[in-house]
Amino acid sequence: LRTDQTLDGAATASVAVTGSGTIGAPVALTASASGNLGAATIRGGALSAEARQRTLGSTVRAETVLIAPSGRALGGGTVSATAVANAQGWGVQDGSATLLAVQAHAGLTEAELGAVLQYAPAPIAFTATAVSNSVSASGANAAQSHAIDQSMTGQRTQAAAFAAVGNGWNATTVATAAANTTALANQGGALDAAVLQSNTAYVRAQGELSAFDFGRGGAFATGVGNATSLTAAGPYVGLALDQTN
């Protein structure tokens, strides 16, 4: 299997809600923008695959806005914005896979969230996530061998979540920005990976929450240039990792 994906332009998504009054059910607002997405799975066989994804100075941006200064969200809910420039996922069950993923982003990845709400007596979460390059894999009774090359050379990877709640019983804002991420998991067989990650762009995550009355509140921000994780239960795990930021 071989796939080649190129984004030459902008990929944007936006959600904007303004209003007042009371909502009894949980609020669900989501904006999700993606540049190149790829996924492949195999069961009971062998997979040899190569996936290449790139953007040509492209902007990938998601924005979610909730403006309800007199609004009451009785059921709480989730409000989110997610922007991902390149993402490749693999799945292997009762088989084996030899996999190559090459990702290059030369543009901007941005997720922005802004919310104003009067009253939320149930848990409500405001989340902004921006990822420029992402590779993930999962395996069960499987053997996996990976070669991964990720590079971010564009303007920035940025996530920002801002929320103001007049009375919030349990409110959180979470902002996560990552230039390159690789997450591999496997059970039952060998997991071997060679990962090269390079980031020369600005990375920023900012989360802010304000409330006049609150029971529990939290604001969290995580920014990372390069991140790699391997989780395995099997006879062998091998990792060759080279990160530059």
Side-chain angles (χ1 to χ4, degrees):
L1 172 68
R2 177 187 172 96
T3 64
D4 290 276
Q5 297 175 306
T6 300
L7 176 66
D8 184 8
T12 62
S14 63
V15 173
V17 175
T18 61
S20 60
T22 300
I23 299 176
V27 174
L29 298 178
T30 301
S32 179
S34 303
N36 298 308
L37 297 179
T41 61
I42 188 168
R43 181 174 181 179
L47 172 64
S48 177
E50 176 179 325
R52 297 180 181 272
Q53 299 173 323
R54 64 173 181 163
T55 69
L56 305 178
S58 305
T59 293
V60 180
R61 188 174 193 276
E63 181 182 26
T64 298
V65 177
L66 170 62
I67 304 298
S70 61
R72 300 160 57 88
L74 302 185
T78 58
V79 181
S80 66
T82 302
V84 181
N86 296 311
Q88 177 63 47
W90 309 106
V92 187
Q93 182 175 347
D94 301 321
S96 62
T98 301
L99 306 168
L100 168 66
V102 179
Q103 298 176 321
H105 183 36
L108 181 150
T109 309
E110 191 170 64
E112 300 283 343
L113 183 150
V116 178
L117 188 64
Q118 183 190 55
Y119 182 53
I124 188 165
F126 305 92
T127 304
T129 304
V131 179
S132 289
N133 296 308
S134 171
V135 173
S136 61
S138 62
N141 298 319
Q144 300 181 54
S145 177
H146 292 268
I148 298 168
D149 185 343
Q150 298 174 311
S151 64
M152 169 52 168
T153 59
Q155 294 173 272
R156 65 181 181 272
T157 305
Q158 179 169 300
F162 305 98
V165 182
N167 187 331
W169 290 17
N170 187 349
T172 58
T173 58
V174 180
T176 303
N180 300 306
T181 65
T182 292
L184 310 177
N186 196 63
Q187 291 184 342
L191 174 60
D192 184 65
V195 181
L196 175 63
Q197 295 175 319
S198 174
N199 174 56
T200 60
Y202 178 73
V203 178
R204 179 180 176 85
Q206 183 174 359
E208 294 187 10
L209 173 67
S210 63
F212 182 76
D213 291 320
F214 64 92
R216 179 179 180 182
F220 307 90
T222 302
V224 61
N226 303 304
T228 294
S229 66
L230 272 67
T231 304
Y236 174 78
V237 177
L239 173 63
L241 176 62
D242 186 343
Q243 296 176 317
T244 304
N245 186 51

